[in-house]
Amino acid sequence: MLIDVTKPDEREAVYSVLFWLFNMAMAIGGIIGALTFKHHLFELLLGLLITSVIAAILVIFFIDETLALKTENLQKVEQEHFIIKMFKNYKVVLKDKLFMSYTLAILLITSLEFQLDYYTGVHLFKDMPTQSALSFDINGVNMLGFLRTENTIIVVLLSLLVTRWVTKLSDKSTYISSVIIYVIGYTVLSYADNIWLLFGFMFLATVGELMRVPTHSAIYASLPPEDKRSSYLAFNSLIIQFCMILGSWFVSLSAFLNNEAMSSLFLLTGMVGLFIIIKIFPDLQKKKELAAASGE
């Protein structure tokens, strides 16, 4: 629906704001939950119920449907069984080589961030000695929480600023440099055990993520055909599930490989994703320009 109501030249800014709002909500929700869960659980659950009802009211009464089907298409939908139509749509998605290549690249790159809660979390718990910083004793478990907090704070504070900066640069140079920064950041996080090194490369990885979001979102929005956007974006949502699967595989693999080998594997995973992006970027750029020209 967001794609339907935005123009191609607006999407980078719109998706950046959406990304910022999501992380702001996560930060606010985390703080409220931490402060109220133990002693005010009923009030917390009541607040969740009220916000859910408000959200439902907004969707039902204040958001208009954006899917405009022509009469002949509507008749076809009525005649054709929903399940059959769904599988036909997914078949089209799977045959779209450009979309599938880009999805694979994003899967490989995004999987590195998921290692923070999987392999990197295990690594910090096992290998990071307790260290003192700012009058606090921090162990591996604490450090993971601090890194997650740092990531959210940086997104909230710098997201719109970084977006304004990268929109002045070329899409290709921004995208490639952002992926390199992102991959290096999360690779070092999977190996380092020094507090300041971890904080520094978490900052680097998050900045790389912020640089990538606007261009990535605009490109992804331009890839699906107008009449099959839901199927394409539904398939895209599976990336999160596959990242979780990869994360658990990497944790299992770490039983047989040392830290150096695991970090090298993460670097290789990110570089393969980057290579795919570089190879298909001219086609992605054409798709984006065609969408802009047609106003879709």
Side-chain angles (χ1 to χ4, degrees), residues 97-115 175-176 178-180 182-183 186 208-209 211-221 223 232-233 235-244 246 250 266 269-278 280-281 284:
K97 292 182 180 179
L98 181 61
F99 179 81
M100 293 303 297
S101 297
Y102 189 59
T103 299
L104 175 60
I106 296 303
L107 168 63
L108 294 173
I109 294 167
T110 306
S111 68
L112 299 183
E113 182 179 355
F114 276 73
Q115 297 313 315
Y175 206 124
I176 292 173
S178 69
V179 172
I180 292 172
Y182 179 93
V183 170
Y186 278 108
E209 180 183 13
M211 291 172 62
R212 182 169 62 92
V213 165
T215 307
H216 160 68
S217 300
I219 287 174
Y220 232 121
L223 292 178
Y232 272 71
L233 298 178
F235 189 88
N236 172 48
S237 67
L238 294 175
I239 287 179
I240 304 300
Q241 310 307 320
F242 283 120
C243 284
M244 293 171 69
L246 276 178
F250 281 132
F266 295 144
T269 300
M271 288 298 104
V272 171
L274 177 61
F275 174 77
I276 296 172
I277 294 291
I278 293 172
I280 66 174
F281 202 88
L284 295 174

Side-chain angles (χ1 to χ4, degrees), residues 68-80 85 227:
L69 286 174
K70 295 180 181 178
T71 305
E72 59 268 23
N73 288 339
L74 183 58
Q75 290 173 349
K76 186 177 179 182
V77 170
E78 291 173 347
Q79 293 169 2
E80 196 169 39
K85 184 176 184 297
D227 61 333

Side-chain angles (χ1 to χ4, degrees), residues 134-152:
L134 303 175
S135 301
F136 291 100
D137 288 333
I138 301 175
N139 58 31
V141 176
N142 304 142
M143 193 66 210
L144 183 61
F146 279 122
L147 291 176
R148 273 292 173 206
T149 302
E150 179 190 5
N151 176 267
T152 304

Side-chain angles (χ1 to χ4, degrees), residues 122-137:
V122 174
H123 156 65
L124 292 175
F125 174 74
K126 288 172 53 181
D127 303 325
M128 179 179 164
T130 300
Q131 302 170 47
S132 296
L134 303 175
S135 301
F136 291 100
D137 288 333

Side-chain angles (χ1 to χ4, degrees), residues 224-270:
E226 188 176 2
D227 61 333
K228 290 184 174 60
R229 279 175 179 163
S230 297
S231 299
Y232 272 71
L233 298 178
F235 189 88
N236 172 48
S237 67
L238 294 175
I239 287 179
I240 304 300
Q241 310 307 320
F242 283 120
C243 284
M244 293 171 69
I245 292 171
L246 276 178
S248 56
W249 283 353
F250 281 132
V251 170
S252 300
L253 196 59
S254 67
F256 307 99
L257 300 176
N258 58 26
N259 287 353
E260 290 82 2
M262 289 301 300
S263 296
S264 299
L265 181 59
F266 295 144
L267 180 61
L268 178 62
T269 300

